[in-house]
Amino acid sequence: NSKVIQTPRYLVKGQGQKAKMRCIPEKGHPVVFWYQQNKNNEFKFLINFQNQEVLQQIDMTEKRFSAECPSNSPCSLEIQSSEAGDSALYLCASSLTGGPETLYFGSGTRLTVL
Amino acid sequence: QQQVRQSPQSLTVWEGETAILNCSYEDSTFDYFPWYWQFPRESPALLIAIRPVSNKKEDGRFTIFFNKREKKLSLHITDSQPGDSATYFCASNTGGLSGKLTFGEGTQVTVIS
């Protein structure tokens, strides 16, 4: 069972509204990833952190999306102004080494933008 | 640009049969290939993985066959069970410490009894 905790499980927002989701990585895992899985099962890497520092992020994340992983607080991903195309499953994953062998996904937050 | 491709898109097998899922990739720097399975309304979970130093990885009823020269791999599910019904994703990473993964489109497997 995954020890990456994501909340909320479901999130419904209207277009233009803010949508915020949180992730508590597995204890001791310093590297956190956010992925988006759309209704066509396409995965898109959004951003990753090592401790509080951003390692990589895609252009989309730099505009309407913001993310942070403050110390001693859950990581978060926020969409400033939701669009219908943002409706997807948002997956948080954490890794002990940063490598894929120790990467585990949380249960996800399913965002629906009406 | 799709760097990891999977086929077929969907597959139906009878209980007890062997399901064969295919995956191909483009980037020769990819050096880790996990397969994830995902059940409806759940998140992906790691099923089995292989590195190119091996051409076969087995875990119970699940076996990965890897062909580095052709940049292809396949997942074989022997003695398929109804509980294996899920969507299977082939993924790859670019090596090193990066856990950033590139996923294929997935193969939806249905096992009927």
Side-chain angles (χ1 to χ4, degrees):
Chain A
N1 289 331
S2 174
K3 296 175 183 175
V4 178
I5 308 300
Q6 286 190 251
T7 57
R9 189 71 184 268
Y10 301 95
L11 190 57
V12 180
K13 295 292 180 181
Q15 295 196 48
Q17 290 187 319
K18 287 186 180 180
K20 188 169 186 176
M21 54 205 85
R22 293 175 175 81
C23 170
I24 300 175
E26 185 163 345
K27 189 175 182 180
H29 282 199
V31 185
V32 174
F33 300 80
W34 285 98
Y35 286 86
Q36 178 197 65
Q37 184 184 20
N38 67 20
K39 63 180 181 180
N40 296 321
N41 277 335
E42 296 166 331
F43 287 80
K44 181 181 290 184
F45 165 82
L46 297 178
I47 192 170
N48 61 349
F49 292 85
Q50 179 156 357
N51 297 313
Q52 293 80 50
E53 301 297 320
V54 175
L55 295 176
Q56 293 174 288
Q57 62 183 332
I58 65 166
D59 287 345
M60 180 177 75
T61 311
E62 294 173 359
K63 295 173 182 175
R64 296 183 298 109
F65 288 63
S66 62
E68 60 176 3
C69 271
S71 60
N72 301 317
S73 294
C75 298
S76 64
L77 176 68
E78 185 171 31
I79 307 173
Q80 301 302 320
S81 178
S82 302
E83 298 176 356
D86 298 330
S87 296
L89 180 65
Y90 289 83
L91 294 161
C92 177
S94 71
S95 171
L96 176 63
T97 61
E101 296 94 335
T102 60
L103 190 146
Y104 298 99
F105 285 96
S107 55
T109 292
R110 186 167 297 280
L111 172 66
T112 301
V113 181
L114 302 175
Chain B
Q1 181 186 5
Q2 186 66 36
Q3 296 192 50
V4 177
R5 294 192 179 275
Q6 289 185 246
S7 65
Q9 188 174 22
S10 63
L11 178 64
T12 299
V13 297
W14 290 99
E15 183 175 357
E17 289 187 332
T18 296
I20 299 176
L21 291 66
N22 300 303
C23 179
S24 64
Y25 63 98
E26 297 177 0
D27 192 332
S28 58
T29 65
F30 289 166
D31 72 349
Y32 180 76
F33 299 89
W35 285 83
Y36 289 85
W37 57 351
Q38 185 175 25
F39 298 95
R41 293 174 296 281
E42 295 189 13
S43 61
L46 179 64
L47 176 61
I48 187 172
I50 193 168
R51 286 197 177 274
V53 292
S54 303
N55 56 20
K56 181 181 177 182
K57 178 74 175 290
E58 195 170 351
D59 185 355
R61 298 184 293 107
F62 300 89
T63 303
I64 300 174
F65 294 92
F66 186 83
N67 185 323
K68 187 176 181 179
R69 184 177 58 86
E70 295 187 6
K71 296 182 184 176
K72 292 181 178 179
L73 57 161
S74 61
L75 175 68
H76 291 223
I77 308 172
T78 57
D79 188 24
S80 297
Q81 302 297 309
D84 298 333
S85 297
T87 301
Y88 292 75
F89 293 94
C90 174
S92 64
N93 87 316
T94 54
L97 293 177
S98 174
K100 182 181 171 184
L101 296 171
T102 299
F103 287 84
E105 313 97 315
T107 295
Q108 185 172 358
V109 174
T110 303
V111 181
I112 51 178
S113 55

